[in-house]
Amino acid sequence: MTVRTRFAPSPTGYLHIGGARTALFSWAYARRHGGQFILRIEDTDVARSTPEAVQAILDGMKWLGLEHDEGPFYQMQRMDRYKAVIAQMLAAGTAYYCYTSREELDALRAEQEARKEKPRYDGRWRPEPGKTLPPVPTGIEPVVRFKNPTDGAVAWDDAVKGRIEFANSELDDLIIARPDGTPTYNFCVVVDDWDMGITHVIRGDDHVNNTPRQINILKALGAPLPVYGHLSMILGDDGQKLSKRRNAVAVTDYDDAGYLRDAIVNYLARLGWSHGDDEMFSREQFVEWFDLDHITSSAAQFNTEKLNWLNQQYLKTADAVYLADEVAKRLAKRGVTVSNDAHLQNVVALYKERAVNLNELADAVEPVLVELHPTDEMKATHFTETGLSALRDLRDRLVAVSWEKAALSACIKETCAALGVKMPAVAIPLRVAVLGLPQSPAIDAVLEVMGRESVLARLNRFL
């Protein structure tokens, strides 16, 4: 059997963390087993689905690097197929027309609630041997209902939650086509999974109640049943369920916030799945290790502090060329044009140890690349007579020194000795003069990557 998984979002908003984890797990399982990963857009909610949301989903998938093998397929382009299957089911007697009006359904619900019963359709239009159906009313367009089994139970061995079972008596006859003939969500999903040969359905546990209905429809069609695995919810930092309407954010927002893609993928992988005590691993290792057996059935807790730590670890080990490209893009948005060259790569390599995300890294390297003027307060504090004397002495030494870290460090120490001051009395005014800031990585390393010409030009502004 070739493993075939799918990710099937509805385009009513962006791709958020919960959806991204579902996509990641489905993608990884297909990759782990040499199978195919299918992308399907479930856009039958015409009122809420938008092209912008579709694009946001595609952009999120692309940024995460979750390439699909087939698709994207759009349900709205498959209407003829759904209607053909419904016609087959009507002919086979596994579906039937129901002419119950909205008013009748409302009255039925009120009666059942008054009796403390679970509201459900009572099967008044369900054909049975020896049963006489009501006369077909005029002026009412019927829905089509699935003739759900009434006896026994529907059960499956969930790959995450274990054995799950529903009594068929608890399931009423699901509407599979509306009065205008358009099929409903649960029906479209069944036909799609059947037609696309989906072998494993990995999705959120908010779909658990849909699964018995979908299994019964698949059985009625004589279709094979996929393996189902329902992922538990993700809780936010506040311990509440992440929700698109409340506190979840788009995956692409993490890009804007300066997170590395591989760090996000690594973090998502650990939201409900584990491989021993491994916290950091490559995408390739994740695919090699991923299975459904080690997905926890309890809710996963999103922790921004832990994500920040993980992102920082990825920054420290990331390739300088990649980081320089990301920093250049972020600086360009601020109107600062720089080239991804050896100079920028050296600056990025120096500063990456101190940054938590790419935006912080861009903030840190900008003063090296662009002259930032210190505030009047900083100048008054650090450009004292002693501070300016230190800068003059150091400047004169830097004119001819070999421009490498060890020699630059020696120059700074010589100035300290000549003036009889401690290191901060020279290093802090120096930082303020060349960077416009009183803090930086080791100043000798900063001077080395800035270059002689730039350092001397910045010093001379104040001397």
Side-chain angles (χ1 to χ4, degrees), residues 6 8-11 40-45 49 75 185 189 192:
R6 48 80 157 177
S10 59
R40 188 169 77 219
I41 305 296
E42 298 185 339
D43 56 351
T44 55
D45 187 346
S49 298
Q75 287 186 328
Y185 165 78
V189 168
D192 288 342

Side-chain angles (χ1 to χ4, degrees), residues 129-340:
K131 177 180 178 180
T132 301
L133 297 177
V136 174
T138 59
I140 294 180
E141 292 294 332
V143 298
V144 178
R145 289 185 181 272
F146 169 60
K147 194 175 182 182
N148 194 79
T150 56
D151 300 327
V154 55
W156 72 96
D157 293 314
D158 196 275
V160 175
K161 296 183 175 297
R163 186 74 171 178
I164 299 178
E165 185 170 319
F166 286 78
N168 277 317
S169 59
E170 293 296 310
L171 307 173
D172 58 4
D173 289 354
L174 179 73
I175 295 175
I176 61 175
R178 302 178 183 90
D180 63 0
T182 59
T184 58
Y185 165 78
N186 273 299
F187 180 75
C188 294
V189 168
V190 165
V191 177
D192 288 342
D193 286 345
W194 180 26
D195 286 354
M196 296 174 190
I198 302 302
T199 62
H200 294 75
V201 174
I202 301 168
R203 58 188 180 187
D205 65 1
D206 52 331
H207 288 282
V208 166
N209 288 335
N210 292 328
T211 302
R213 301 177 183 279
Q214 293 173 10
I215 287 175
N216 279 341
I217 297 174
L218 284 166
K219 288 180 176 179
L221 292 170
L225 301 182
V227 173
Y228 292 94
H230 291 89
L231 309 175
S232 295
M233 69 179 71
I234 300 175
L235 304 179
D237 287 296
D238 59 1
Q240 302 297 309
K241 181 180 178 182
L242 284 180
S243 166
K244 270 197 288 191
R245 295 177 178 85
R246 194 174 65 85
N247 56 356
V249 299
V251 166
T252 48
D253 287 346
Y254 287 94
D255 180 24
D256 295 338
Y259 290 91
L260 278 70
R261 178 181 70 177
D262 287 345
I264 292 293
V265 168
N266 190 155
Y267 188 74
L268 284 175
R270 292 285 285 114
L271 280 178
W273 174 87
S274 64
H275 183 267
D277 295 326
D278 292 295
E279 291 284 353
M280 288 186 65
F281 39 80
S282 68
R283 185 179 298 247
E284 291 73 25
Q285 286 175 315
F286 173 53
V287 168
E288 180 183 347
W289 294 340
F290 184 73
D291 59 15
L292 302 180
D293 296 335
H294 291 87
I295 297 175
T296 179
S297 59
S298 58
Q301 178 81 48
F302 192 91
N303 186 313
T304 300
E305 184 178 339
K306 190 169 185 179
L307 172 59
N308 288 339
W309 172 84
L310 186 64
N311 198 63
Q312 188 171 33
Q313 307 315 304
Y314 270 86
L315 264 178
K316 290 178 180 179
T317 59
D319 176 70
V321 176
Y322 164 73
L323 290 181
D325 188 55
E326 289 295 324
V327 165
K329 288 191 295 187
R330 282 162 170 77
L331 291 177
K333 292 180 180 179
R334 309 176 188 181
V336 178
T337 302
V338 294
S339 300
N340 184 354

Side-chain angles (χ1 to χ4, degrees), residues 49 58 82 89-90 103 112 174 179 198 226 235 275-276 286 295 331 360 398 401 413 415 433:
S49 298
L58 297 177
Y82 304 138
M89 294 177 71
L90 287 167
E103 292 74 20
Q112 291 170 332
L174 179 73
I198 302 302
L235 304 179
H275 183 267
F286 173 53
I295 297 175
L331 291 177
E360 284 190 9
L398 293 177
V401 72
K413 291 175 182 176
T415 293

Side-chain angles (χ1 to χ4, degrees), residues 324-325 327-328 338-349 365 369:
D325 188 55
V327 165
V338 294
S339 300
N340 184 354
D341 55 14
H343 175 58
L344 178 59
Q345 291 160 24
N346 289 335
V347 176
V348 164
V365 304
L369 306 170

